[in-house]
Amino acid sequence: MSKHHASLDIPKRPTERKQWILFQLKLKGSNFRALGRELGCSHQAVAWAAAGHASLEIERAIADKIGLAHIDLFPEHFDDDGERIPLARPRQRKGRPEAENGNVYSREVA
């Protein structure tokens, strides 16, 4: 956390930080639902990001709305050099299985 915002005591635990972020947004006249509308996403996506689940665009919007640096609000998403830690997501879908005869998964009309 930078020294500039050390007096804010941003909670480290994600569930506590989510509530702290909501409180800060309300002080600015906003909330998860309003921010979601501005970003074109659901309020659940904003709440999910506020709880510490990585979403670069939403995290930046939350930090901007509150008036903090992104790295100060979500320090666990950055390495010691201040670089964003890339997401290592496993591939969620496997390719379609190939049928033995080549017709079962084809879109051709019989």
Side-chain angles (χ1 to χ4, degrees):
M1 187 182 310
S2 71
K3 294 178 183 178
H4 182 262
H5 296 293
S7 63
L8 289 177
D9 295 326
I10 300 170
K12 298 286 185 205
R13 292 180 54 204
T15 54
E16 292 174 3
R17 184 173 47 213
K18 176 183 169 186
Q19 294 306 315
W20 183 88
I21 288 171
L22 180 58
F23 178 72
Q24 296 300 317
L25 287 172
K26 286 183 178 183
L27 289 176
K28 303 283 185 182
S30 189
N31 57 34
F32 293 152
R33 191 171 299 273
L35 190 54
R37 277 193 301 268
E38 289 175 25
L39 296 173
C41 66
S42 69
H43 68 279
Q44 294 99 330
V46 176
W48 189 253
H53 299 280
S55 175
L56 184 58
E57 181 181 348
I58 297 174
E59 290 171 15
R60 283 183 178 157
I62 291 170
D64 288 346
K65 192 69 140 180
I66 293 174
L68 295 175
H70 183 203
I71 193 170
D72 292 335
L73 195 54
F74 300 100
E76 70 275 10
H77 296 170
F78 294 87
D79 63 17
D80 293 337
D81 296 327
E83 296 294 321
R84 176 83 178 188
I85 299 171
L87 294 176
R89 293 185 180 171
R91 186 174 175 187
Q92 294 182 3
R93 288 183 55 176
K94 294 181 179 177
R96 291 190 340 194
E98 294 297 324
E100 288 180 22
N101 63 4
N103 292 329
V104 176
Y105 295 106
S106 175
R107 295 181 186 253
E108 294 178 21
V109 178

